[in-house]
Amino acid sequence: EPEVTQTPSHQVTQMGQEVILRCVPISNHLYFYWYRQILGQKVEFLVSFYNNEISEKSEIFDDQFSVERPDGSNFTLKIRSTKLEDSAMYFCASRGQSYEQYFGPGTRLTVT
Amino acid sequence: AQSVTQPDIHITVSEGASLELRCNYSYGATPYLFWYVQSPGQGLQLLLKYFSGDTLVQGIKGFEAEFKRSQSSFNLRKPSVHWSDAAEYFCAVGAGTPFGFQKLVFGTGTRLLVSP
């Protein structure tokens, strides 16, 4: 069964450093998403991406964040200068023509 | 704005007993509703969804949910809980145009504990 994969599973970085979180969506999917979950809190939408451009972004997704689909398979989230409050679990999701979003296992980002 | 409320933070159920997890949503248009389950250290797995039609929907692992428009609810049920069902359960509403980008708005989750 096709699944969304994410790497790395855990990333530790120092405040101010850049990080790139990687996702491989399901191959025939067209819509891509990033969500995050701060420990003990709910899952929050960050950004959606379709046809090689951002379709919607939340207030959280400020200028420090960017997304890219550099080739036909990967979907990346970059945080340019990490802050302590960026520590969270980051989930990638994708969907095809139906409405179900399929989530990856997540990347736990720890900013020290 | 769209929102989802899951009023129970924790629920403990005996193995073999029935389960109902509550979910209320706020959304102006026809909602697209989902239940996801998250086991410890795992991602979010889709249990079931409601888009239209029959208001009682069946999902994986023996779960079902009933959409009640009059109550703005989409409660998750299972007739007999297994120890492996212990996890966190999230209700979500798809916000956006039906053929659009449909970001998901999640509730705060309900942690299910299963006692022997």
Side-chain angles (χ1 to χ4, degrees):
Chain A
E1 183 178 320
E3 59 182 17
V4 177
T5 59
Q6 290 185 243
T7 54
S9 57
H10 191 189
Q11 174 90 47
V12 181
T13 189
Q14 289 190 325
M15 199 167 48
Q17 295 297 304
E18 175 183 286
V19 294
I20 298 177
L21 309 184
R22 291 183 167 80
C23 169
V24 179
I26 294 173
S27 64
N28 61 346
H29 282 187
L30 303 173
Y31 302 86
F32 312 110
Y33 306 82
W34 283 101
Y35 294 82
R36 79 172 185 190
Q37 183 183 30
I38 294 172
L39 189 63
Q41 298 186 23
K42 68 169 121 179
V43 178
E44 302 173 288
F45 166 78
L46 290 178
V47 65
S48 58
F49 191 85
Y50 171 73
N51 200 25
N52 281 320
E53 60 183 27
I54 290 173
S55 49
E56 186 177 357
K57 57 184 180 180
S58 72
E59 294 173 353
I60 303 166
F61 195 89
D62 62 22
D63 292 344
Q64 292 301 310
F65 291 86
S66 62
V67 290
E68 192 178 34
R69 188 158 162 80
D71 52 42
S73 59
N74 291 285
F75 180 50
T76 61
L77 174 70
K78 182 194 289 186
I79 309 175
R80 288 190 184 82
S81 178
T82 50
K83 307 183 189 70
L84 293 176
E85 53 264 37
D86 293 328
S87 294
M89 182 74 92
Y90 288 81
F91 292 107
C92 172
S94 70
R95 75 171 178 95
Q97 294 293 353
S98 70
Y99 306 122
E100 302 102 337
Q101 291 183 27
Y102 293 90
F103 284 75
T107 293
R108 180 165 297 284
L109 177 65
T110 303
V111 182
T112 61
Chain B
Q2 308 88 359
S3 66
V4 174
T5 301
Q6 293 180 248
D8 304 305
I9 298 173
H10 298 280
I11 280 187
T12 300
V13 174
S14 298
E15 191 168 15
S18 64
L19 168 71
E20 182 167 24
L21 301 182
R22 297 183 290 166
C23 172
N24 292 96
Y25 67 90
S26 172
Y27 188 59
T30 301
Y32 292 74
L33 295 161
F34 306 83
W35 275 99
Y36 284 85
V37 60
Q38 184 181 32
S39 299
Q42 303 296 311
L44 296 161
Q45 183 182 22
L46 180 65
L47 281 178
L48 46 75
K49 60 191 180 288
Y50 171 78
F51 299 147
S52 63
D54 193 346
T55 56
L56 185 64
V57 293
Q58 303 296 320
I60 62 171
K61 305 185 181 187
F63 285 92
E64 65 179 27
E66 186 171 13
F67 170 60
K68 292 185 178 179
R69 185 185 297 275
S70 61
Q71 298 177 19
S72 297
S73 69
F74 188 56
N75 294 349
L76 182 71
R77 301 195 293 246
K78 186 169 185 178
S80 177
V81 167
H82 188 262
W83 64 266
S84 60
D85 293 324
E88 184 125 25
Y89 292 80
F90 292 93
C91 182
V93 63
T97 58
F99 298 101
F101 310 110
Q102 285 279 318
K103 70 180 180 186
L104 294 178
V105 176
F106 284 85
T108 50
T110 297
R111 182 168 297 279
L112 173 65
L113 304 172
V114 180
S115 60

